[in-house]
């Protein structure tokens, strides 16, 4: 059946080609006979919704080789069509993967004037393959301009006549800085700091910090680079040596690995009946606050419970300083009286600044067991519980899991 259809298909085109040849001969333009025939036949072939190039190829073969030439060409066209469909399918799959990789895992505390450009930022971030860094770009814009004016990203290496110009060029430059700083993901704060200072100083800083400090940012080397450039160029000002903490006051990240970290087990609230949060996880004053602070007017001395069952791996109970605004106490590494519990799957919890604790290292505790009481020991400015969740030793935002 298929063979008969192919023959009918080819016969139809042969007939059309013959008509085209006759018309060309009648026109008296013998030098254009074959070209004219090909074009006419191609128009008929194109009606079958083939590409113009494929249609012309079929028509040319009809004119030159007749019915048997078309059969081979037709097979090639079918193969081309199948290949095209596979390419489209593969492209769609690649696009889905790109979108998945571009899912943002950061958060930005920025003004509405910045947020109005979120869609445009997202568009150019995705175009540059850095969609996961939309929140970071928003934080940069917040520091640069607050979203006010035309040059919202404060770029100075091209003509900026519209806000979109500024965002397009600014996002492209962010990508360059992230790549040169060797940033791996939105949680890679060590390298993000290098990229941020590079955005402010120029990529020369990134190259310099890799050559002189193994790619490690510090406020000290940021200031050193500024002083060096001022002396070299005879300027009184060079960039903002505090640019990194200035940007990071608007930016925070979380791992997003909810399924892995919880492993099917829920975390309980560590101070029953007291849910007021005075400080969230994220950057504040230029440093990462690695957990949440829970406090209210009646929380002092209230019981702290194990958020999840596990084994106590640390139990510090020697800090005598239980008063606020104690900036000099280094008890327990600043955590004061604290407890750490391992949950046996790579996750652990930490409870800091307690008045006293009631457990010891190696003890098994169940979710909800009292492990101590809320206090103000260690580096603490007021009575509260500092609570952390760690994944393989790295702190993550506790709020998605509570």
């Amino acid at each position: 059946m298929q063979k008969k259809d192919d023959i009918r298909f080819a016969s139809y085109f042969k007939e059309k080609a013959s008509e085209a040849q006759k018309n060309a001969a009648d026109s008296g333009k013998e030098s254009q006979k074959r070209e004219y025939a090909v074009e006419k036949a191609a128009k008929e072939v194109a009606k079958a919704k083939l590409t113009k190039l494929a249609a012309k190829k079929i028509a040319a073969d009809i004119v030159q080789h007749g019915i048997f030439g078309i059969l081979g060409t037709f097979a090639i066209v079918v193969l081309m069509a199948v290949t095209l469909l596979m390419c489209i399918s593969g492209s769609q799959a690649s696009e889905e993967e790109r979108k998945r990789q571009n899912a943002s895992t950061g958060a930005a505390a920025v003004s509405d004037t910045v947020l109005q450009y979120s869609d445009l930022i997202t568009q150019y971030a995705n175009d540059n393959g850095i969609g996961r860094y939309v929140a970071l770009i928003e934080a940069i814009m917040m520091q640069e301009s607050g979203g006010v004016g035309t040059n919202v990203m404060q770029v100075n290496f091209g003509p900026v006549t519209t806000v979109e110009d500024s965002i397009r060029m600014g996002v492209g430059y962010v990508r360059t800085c992230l790549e040169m700083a060797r940033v791996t993901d939105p949680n890679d704060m060590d390298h993000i700091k290098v990229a941020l200072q590079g955005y402010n100083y120029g990529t020369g800083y990134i190259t310099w910090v890799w050559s002189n400090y193994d790619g490690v940012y510090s406020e000290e080397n940021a200031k050193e680079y500024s002083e060096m450039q001022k002396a070299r160029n005879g300027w009184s000002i060079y960039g903002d040596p505090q640019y990194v903490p200035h940007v990071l006051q608007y930016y925070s990240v979380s791992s997003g690995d909810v399924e892995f970290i919880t492993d099917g087990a829920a975390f309980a609230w560590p101070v029953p009946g007291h849910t007021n949060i005075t400080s969230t996880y994220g950057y504040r004053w230029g440093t990462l606050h690695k957990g949440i602070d829970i406090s209210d007017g009646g929380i002092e001395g209230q019981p702290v419970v194990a958020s999840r069952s596990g084994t106590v791996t640390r139990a510090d109970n020697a800090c005598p300083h239980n008063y606020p605004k104690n900036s000099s106490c280094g008890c327990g590494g600043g955590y004061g009286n604290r407890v750490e519990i391992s949950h046996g799957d790579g996750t652990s919890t930490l409870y800091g600044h307690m008045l006293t604790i009631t457990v010891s290292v190696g003890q098994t505790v169940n979710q909800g067991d009292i492990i101590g009481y809320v206090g103000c020991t260690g580096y603490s400015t007021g009575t509260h519980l500092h609570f952390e969740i760690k994944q393989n030793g790295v702190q993550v935002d506790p709020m998605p899991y509570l």
Side-chain angles (χ1 to χ4, degrees):
M1 181 65 182
Q2 182 61 48
K3 184 176 181 181
K4 291 181 178 179
D5 288 342
D6 289 347
I7 292 174
R8 284 198 298 269
F9 188 60
S11 296
Y12 171 77
F13 291 139
K14 182 180 181 181
E15 179 182 349
K16 292 298 181 181
S18 296
E19 291 177 5
Q21 284 179 312
K22 184 177 183 300
N23 289 336
D26 291 344
S27 69
K29 299 179 180 180
E30 290 297 331
S31 63
Q32 300 178 14
K33 178 189 286 187
R34 185 175 183 279
E35 181 180 352
Y36 181 78
V38 167
E39 289 295 333
K40 291 288 288 184
K43 291 179 181 179
E44 296 298 331
V45 176
K47 291 179 180 178
K49 298 189 183 298
L50 298 172
T51 67
K52 184 177 180 181
L53 180 61
K56 291 183 72 172
K57 180 67 171 67
I58 291 174
D61 280 353
I62 292 172
V63 172
Q64 185 170 354
H65 301 296
I67 186 170
F68 295 106
I70 187 59
L71 295 179
T73 305
F74 181 67
I76 293 173
V77 172
V78 171
L79 180 61
M80 289 171 59
V82 171
T83 302
L84 179 60
L85 290 173
M86 291 175 66
C87 290
I88 293 172
S89 177
S91 176
Q92 289 173 339
S94 297
E95 177 68 10
E96 290 301 317
E97 175 64 12
R98 183 183 68 80
K99 288 180 179 179
R100 185 187 71 79
Q101 291 293 334
N102 279 338
S104 176
T105 57
V110 296
S111 66
D112 289 341
T113 52
V114 170
L115 291 176
Q116 68 178 315
Y117 299 121
S118 290
D119 288 346
L120 205 53
I121 292 171
T122 300
Q123 173 190 330
Y124 284 107
N126 286 338
D127 288 347
N128 280 275
I130 56 170
R132 291 185 296 167
Y133 300 89
V134 167
L136 182 65
I137 297 167
E138 290 174 343
I140 292 172
M141 182 187 290
M142 185 66 189
Q143 175 60 26
E144 291 290 343
S145 69
V148 177
T150 299
N151 194 358
V152 288
M153 296 298 291
Q154 292 296 293
V155 295
N156 59 5
F157 44 81
V160 176
T161 58
T162 66
V163 169
E164 185 168 355
D165 287 338
S166 181
I167 292 175
R168 173 177 51 80
M169 289 188 285
V171 172
Y173 190 56
V174 170
R175 175 183 175 173
T176 297
C177 292
L178 292 173
E179 290 177 343
M180 291 185 65
R182 307 178 198 177
V183 176
T184 58
D185 59 63
N187 291 286
D188 184 9
M189 294 308 305
D190 289 340
H191 292 134
I192 282 177
K193 290 177 181 179
V194 176
L196 287 175
Q197 196 64 62
Y199 187 90
N200 179 251
Y201 280 167
T203 55
Y205 168 79
I206 301 176
T207 302
W208 176 82
V209 86
W210 274 107
S211 298
N212 294 276
Y213 291 96
D214 296 323
V216 177
Y217 159 88
S218 69
E219 291 189 17
E220 290 74 21
N221 67 40
K223 183 177 180 181
E224 178 187 348
Y225 189 83
S226 177
E227 294 296 328
M228 182 176 67
Q229 293 300 316
K230 286 192 292 184
R232 178 177 297 172
N233 296 286
W235 299 336
S236 59
I237 298 175
Y238 184 86
D240 176 10
Q242 293 290 310
Y243 188 76
V244 170
H246 287 162
V247 172
L248 292 183
Q249 66 182 315
Y250 306 116
Y251 180 69
S252 64
V253 291
S254 62
S255 73
D257 296 327
V258 177
E259 294 80 10
F260 177 81
I261 190 168
T262 61
D263 193 26
F267 286 77
W269 192 259
V271 191
H274 298 269
T275 58
N276 185 57
I277 298 175
T278 55
S279 187
T280 59
Y281 173 95
Y283 277 84
R284 60 179 189 180
W285 312 310
T287 59
L288 177 64
H289 184 235
K290 299 177 180 179
I292 59 171
D293 291 343
I294 304 168
S295 181
D296 58 35
I299 200 171
E300 185 171 8
Q302 293 300 303
V304 177
V305 301
S307 180
R308 187 177 167 198
S309 300
T311 302
V312 177
T313 57
R314 183 158 189 161
D316 298 331
N317 200 34
C319 186
H321 310 128
N322 188 56
Y323 46 84
K325 300 190 181 302
N326 183 27
S327 60
S328 61
C329 176
C331 291
Y335 285 101
N337 294 327
R338 66 171 164 177
V339 171
E340 291 189 47
I341 302 172
S342 172
H343 305 297
D345 61 353
T347 65
S348 61
T349 47
L350 180 148
Y351 313 76
H353 308 307
M354 286 189 282
L355 173 64
T356 185
I357 69 173
T358 61
V359 293
S360 56
V361 172
Q363 181 177 340
T364 299
V365 294
N366 295 316
Q367 186 179 61
D369 287 351
I370 294 176
I371 60 173
Y373 297 91
V374 178
C376 190
T377 56
Y379 190 90
S380 175
T381 58
T383 302
H384 71 285
L385 177 75
H386 174 83
F387 177 70
E388 296 179 4
I389 294 179
K390 299 180 183 180
Q391 177 176 302
N392 294 326
V394 178
Q395 291 89 347
V396 297
D397 186 356
M399 291 310 295
Y401 317 113
L402 290 171

